[in-house]
Amino acid sequence: MSVSLAERPVAWAEGTRLLVRVGTFCLVELQKLRHDRSELLTRMIQPVLWLVVFGQTFTRLRAIPSGDVPYLDFLSAGIIAQSALFVSIFYGIQIIWERDAGVLTKLMVTPTPRAALVTGKAFAAGIRSLAQALAILVVSLLLGVRFTANPLKLLGVVVVVLLGAAFFCCLSVTIAGLVLKRDRLMGIGQAIMMPLFFASNALYPIAVMPHWLQVVSAVNPLSYEVNALRGLLLGTPTVLWLDFTVLVVATIAAITAASALLGRLTR
């Protein structure tokens, strides 16, 4: 049934209000960085070490086939995706902390939709990941990696990082809604973080994986994020519409699941 002309302004107002609330929650999350900017610096150490130590060492060893692309270039896109994963996968701990501090209960009794709260946190995770991605790009350039300078492709990189971080943030919140405890979430987060990373093409091409791992990689959103980043930054062959479709669908599904389970944390 089509929306009548009288209903359209109301629907537009509701949509605008929802976007404003999402933006507000996102800004609230980012304000926390002002009180502890060292968090960004400490989180940058690990991805930079992957590039400087692992990347340069395996470039010299030529142990991992990366086609016509130097291995350090090949790895850099994977490390950008890895940093988004590592930033976002423990966002559920923050939700549980807010529950324990009574903040989440106060937010839940407001008329704000749960999806707005979850989406705001998801894209705050994405902006944090963008800060790390920028640092990784700078370090990569200093190491001699050649990235595209096409502004449209760089804008695509921003969208890919935001979607990837949003998905893993909402996955973490979904798990938090299931396990309800910080210590359980930390254990599960550690248990799934590295398998997600190693079961993707962040470090090596899918072609060199055993068959069963190729199957796992094919359903791992991180693989599509890495494919999109390599295609945009390095021009490697990929199906960008498929990469973006998988990331968008996965993110929407994760936001839906996290929003549905958020209420369990306040019971």
Side-chain angles (χ1 to χ4, degrees), residues 49-222:
L49 286 176
W50 273 98
L51 280 175
V52 174
V53 179
F54 188 90
Q56 289 197 308
T57 300
F58 275 77
T59 297
R60 294 187 178 187
L61 289 175
R62 303 179 186 271
I64 299 177
S66 54
D68 297 331
V69 178
Y71 181 69
L72 190 61
D73 298 35
F74 179 88
L75 178 67
S76 58
I79 298 303
I80 292 173
Q82 179 219 49
S83 67
L85 166 64
F86 286 9
V87 164
S88 307
I89 201 66
F90 290 111
Y91 247 74
I93 295 176
Q94 186 183 90
I95 279 279
I96 295 175
W97 180 87
E98 290 179 353
R99 186 273 310 273
D100 294 342
V103 175
L104 184 61
T105 302
K106 294 177 182 178
L107 291 173
M108 293 289 285
V109 297
T110 67
T112 301
R114 295 176 183 179
L117 173 60
V118 171
T119 305
K121 288 186 175 293
F123 285 98
I127 294 174
R128 289 191 182 201
S129 299
L130 283 174
Q132 288 203 188
L134 179 60
I136 294 167
L137 287 173
V138 170
V139 173
S140 299
L141 289 171
L142 292 174
L143 293 175
V145 176
R146 296 181 179 179
F147 292 126
T148 183
N150 186 317
L152 288 178
K153 290 187 177 181
L154 293 176
L155 180 61
V157 169
V158 170
V159 175
V160 169
V161 172
L162 285 173
L163 287 172
F167 168 74
F168 290 113
C169 171
C170 292
L171 175 63
S172 179
V173 174
T174 300
I175 297 171
L178 292 171
V179 302
L180 305 177
K181 301 290 184 182
R182 273 180 287 183
D183 53 349
R184 293 177 188 169
L185 179 58
M186 288 184 67
I188 294 175
Q190 292 285 358
I192 68 173
M193 182 171 60
M194 297 312 291
L196 280 170
F197 178 47
F198 287 113
S200 74
N201 56 349
L203 296 179
Y204 30 69
I206 293 177
V208 305
M209 299 178 183
H211 179 70
W212 66 269
L213 193 56
Q214 292 182 18
V215 174
V216 175
S217 180
V219 296
N220 184 355
L222 188 64

Side-chain angles (χ1 to χ4, degrees), residues 20-35:
V20 169
R21 288 172 176 171
V22 169
T24 300
F25 281 121
C26 185
L27 286 174
V28 168
E29 289 297 313
L30 293 176
Q31 285 290 333
K32 297 175 184 177
L33 287 178
R34 295 179 60 186
H35 303 290

